[in-house]
Amino acid sequence: MGSQELSSGAARVAALCIAVVMTALIVACSDDPADLTEEPTSSAATTTLSPPSTTGVVTTEAIPTSTVPTPTTAPFPGPVVLLYLEDMQGLAVRIGELVLDMRAANNDWDNRVKTYQETETALENVERTALALRGDIGLIEPPPDRGLPVEHQTAWVAVGQMADAAVDSLAGLRSPDTGERRQAALGQFLVAYERYAAAFGRIVEIVGVAANVSLPSVATTSVPTTEATTTTTQASATTTTTAAATTSTTEASDTTSTTEASDTTSTTAAAATTSTTEAPGTGTETVPPAPDIYEVLTENPSPFQGADRTWLTVRVDAGATKSELAQIGNRLAFEYRVAQQYQALAIYFVHFPEGVDTLGTWIHAPYGDWTRAAEASRGDYTQHQVVDRTVEKDWTLLPTDAQVDLYRRYREYKANLLDSGDTVPPDDELIPVVAQEFEVTTAELRGAVEAWEAWEAR
């Protein structure tokens, strides 16, 4: 019994060993151990995932996301733009000072506050500064942003026009005319300055940063040309466009008044005649044309009953016609209306300074009457009329230079006799005596006196 139980136990052990050996052989012969691996037990708490093997597998590499920020447009205005504005700001300050200097020099001369030499020096400084500014703005390079090159070009051209006008203003002061060239240059200068100021303002708006520059606001003096520029004198709150240098009295006015031109010309007459011309209505006027053959010798105020009257002595070149005298009268009336706002103007035309009015007179006054000046308000020319008493001079009677010189000496001799209290004998008795003292023949002196008298009479 006991031996059977032992045999049975040995048999069970032997069977178990055989089973183990067989299992090992099967495992060793298997191609895929995973097929024989017991499936993992799923657990809701944890799930372990083995990383995938990359052995023998072709994969596509993922492109990493760049960490560099996408380029963006630099904020406006940048350093270059701000530097440009700074350069233009400095230029604007100098231009503002130049405008004030130009205006002051012209006003001081027109009002005779400064001497000719002082005015010439002032305008020389203005010319020098204006030319330097033209060169300086040309060296400033505008950034290629938002239209700045276009506005800079406009400003540069305007500064160039200011420089040209400054040169012409000095030349006008030195010219023999009555001031119209200088005043026209002043008008062109201020119109160019307005163009510059507008362009500079647009540059500041584009940049969007305050330039901290307060450009001077001056009453603009623009000389109308034949392109029919409107000429008005306006209230102080607006820009005043005139044809010559205006004074502070014009800017202080609180009403709008329109100056008018006397643009008609009297017909030619063989002798002294009177022609009355109605003053034109209000509206647009241009500078009346006039030949460059005259010079204002004297300008004298002649107040009457509180009215502002002005009379001029104007010398004209030999050969001047009655029609040309009328043109000169219209031109001078235009200029003096703008500069002074007279209530009556009288012009005495001469060829020789001592000729008084040998070529006649030209008057612009209320109803053509010099004595009724007080009936018109300053700046109101609606009732003004032209009375033209100029003559068509016979220039063939013009004395020779030698005759004029001899006559002047003879006249001075007679004046000295009067000053000394001596009796002045008639020419027939005096001429032989004076001719002997002058060491000329009696015929020569008598011929000079007669030539002058004939000239004055015709």
Side-chain angles (χ1 to χ4, degrees):
M1 178 88 174
S3 60
Q4 290 179 349
E5 293 175 355
L6 181 62
S7 299
S8 299
R12 288 195 295 273
V13 171
L16 180 61
C17 290
I18 293 171
V20 171
V21 171
M22 292 297 291
T23 302
L25 290 174
I26 293 171
V27 171
C29 295
S30 174
D31 292 334
D32 190 358
D35 292 343
L36 303 177
T37 302
E38 197 175 22
E39 290 184 5
T41 303
S42 176
S43 173
T46 59
T47 302
T48 302
L49 296 178
S50 299
S53 173
T54 58
T55 304
V57 179
V58 179
T59 60
T60 303
E61 183 180 0
I63 300 175
T65 303
S66 175
T67 59
V68 179
T70 303
T72 57
T73 303
F76 184 90
V80 175
V81 174
L82 292 177
L83 180 61
Y84 166 74
L85 180 63
E86 182 179 350
D87 292 339
M88 291 297 287
Q89 173 182 351
L91 192 78
V93 172
R94 294 164 59 198
I95 289 176
E97 295 171 349
L98 175 69
V99 171
L100 296 178
D101 291 343
M102 177 67 150
R103 192 60 185 275
N106 280 275
N107 282 346
D108 288 346
W109 174 244
D110 288 335
N111 297 322
R112 298 304 186 263
V113 175
K114 297 293 182 66
T115 65
Y116 174 88
Q117 187 60 48
E118 291 173 328
T119 304
E120 184 179 45
T121 300
L123 290 181
E124 285 175 346
N125 291 335
V126 168
E127 179 190 67
R128 189 180 305 109
T129 302
L131 293 173
L133 286 169
R134 176 166 63 183
D136 291 346
I137 193 174
L139 297 176
I140 299 176
E141 187 71 19
D145 295 88
R146 310 191 183 190
L148 286 175
V150 175
E151 299 301 342
H152 183 87
Q153 175 73 11
T154 301
W156 178 76
V157 170
V159 173
Q161 292 170 339
M162 291 173 66
D164 293 339
V167 172
D168 205 35
S169 178
L170 179 59
L173 177 70
R174 293 169 173 168
S175 69
D177 65 14
T178 60
E180 62 268 18
R181 180 177 178 183
R182 174 183 55 80
Q183 291 171 345
L186 172 63
Q188 294 162 3
F189 180 94
L190 294 179
V191 168
Y193 165 70
E194 280 193 333
R195 296 192 187 105
Y196 164 79
F200 178 75
R202 290 190 294 269
I203 289 172
V204 173
E205 290 178 359
I206 291 173
V207 175
V209 177
N212 298 322
V213 175
S214 179
L215 291 175
S217 176
V218 295
T220 304
T221 302
S222 63
V223 175
T225 62
T226 53
E227 297 175 357
T229 304
T230 302
T231 304
T232 57
T233 302
Q234 297 180 341
S236 58
T238 59
T239 301
T240 304
T241 305
T242 58
T246 56
T247 62
S248 58
T249 55
T250 300
E251 297 175 5
S253 173
D254 57 0
T255 59
T256 301
S257 60
T258 305
T259 57
E260 300 164 4
S262 301
D263 58 2
T264 56
T265 303
S266 306
T267 57
T268 302
T273 59
T274 300
S275 61
T276 303
T277 306
E278 295 290 337
T282 60
T284 302
E285 67 173 349
T286 58
V287 177
D292 187 16
I293 59 171
Y294 66 95
E295 174 187 7
V296 177
L297 298 179
T298 61
E299 173 188 332
N300 298 286
S302 181
F304 179 70
Q305 296 179 350
D308 184 3
R309 303 191 307 179
T310 300
W311 65 270
L312 311 173
T313 301
V314 177
R315 188 200 68 81
V316 296
D317 294 345
T321 64
K322 179 179 174 65
S323 175
E324 289 175 329
L325 298 181
Q327 291 178 8
I328 296 170
N330 284 324
R331 176 64 172 266
L332 290 174
F334 179 92
E335 294 178 357
Y336 276 82
R337 281 199 306 278
V338 171
Q340 299 181 5
Q341 290 192 329
Y342 62 78
Q343 288 164 273
L345 175 71
I347 301 175
Y348 297 79
F349 285 107
V350 301
H351 177 65
F352 300 108
E354 61 271 37
V356 190
D357 60 347
T358 50
L359 278 76
T361 59
W362 189 96
I363 295 174
H364 189 228
Y367 312 101
D369 190 340
W370 170 258
T371 65
R372 299 178 65 177
E375 297 182 29
S377 301
R378 287 176 59 86
D380 181 11
Y381 304 98
T382 56
Q383 303 302 323
H384 277 54
Q385 295 176 343
V386 172
V387 175
D388 186 345
R389 295 194 181 99
T390 57
V391 298
E392 193 71 69
K393 202 68 175 178
D394 185 355
W395 292 96
T396 61
L397 299 176
L398 184 67
T400 65
D401 291 343
Q403 288 175 324
V404 171
D405 180 65
L406 190 55
Y407 172 76
R408 285 172 175 164
R409 292 170 58 195
Y410 177 68
R411 188 184 59 183
E412 184 178 355
Y413 186 94
K414 293 172 68 174
N416 291 336
L417 288 178
L418 288 172
D419 291 341
S420 63
D422 294 337
T423 302
V424 180
D427 287 338
D428 289 343
E429 299 177 13
L430 186 60
I431 286 177
V433 176
V434 176
Q436 186 175 1
E437 290 193 25
F438 287 175
E439 297 181 348
V440 297
T441 65
T442 300
E444 286 178 311
L445 182 54
R446 190 181 303 279
V449 173
E450 291 176 351
W452 181 269
E453 291 176 346
W455 160 256
E456 281 194 317
R458 294 294 301 275

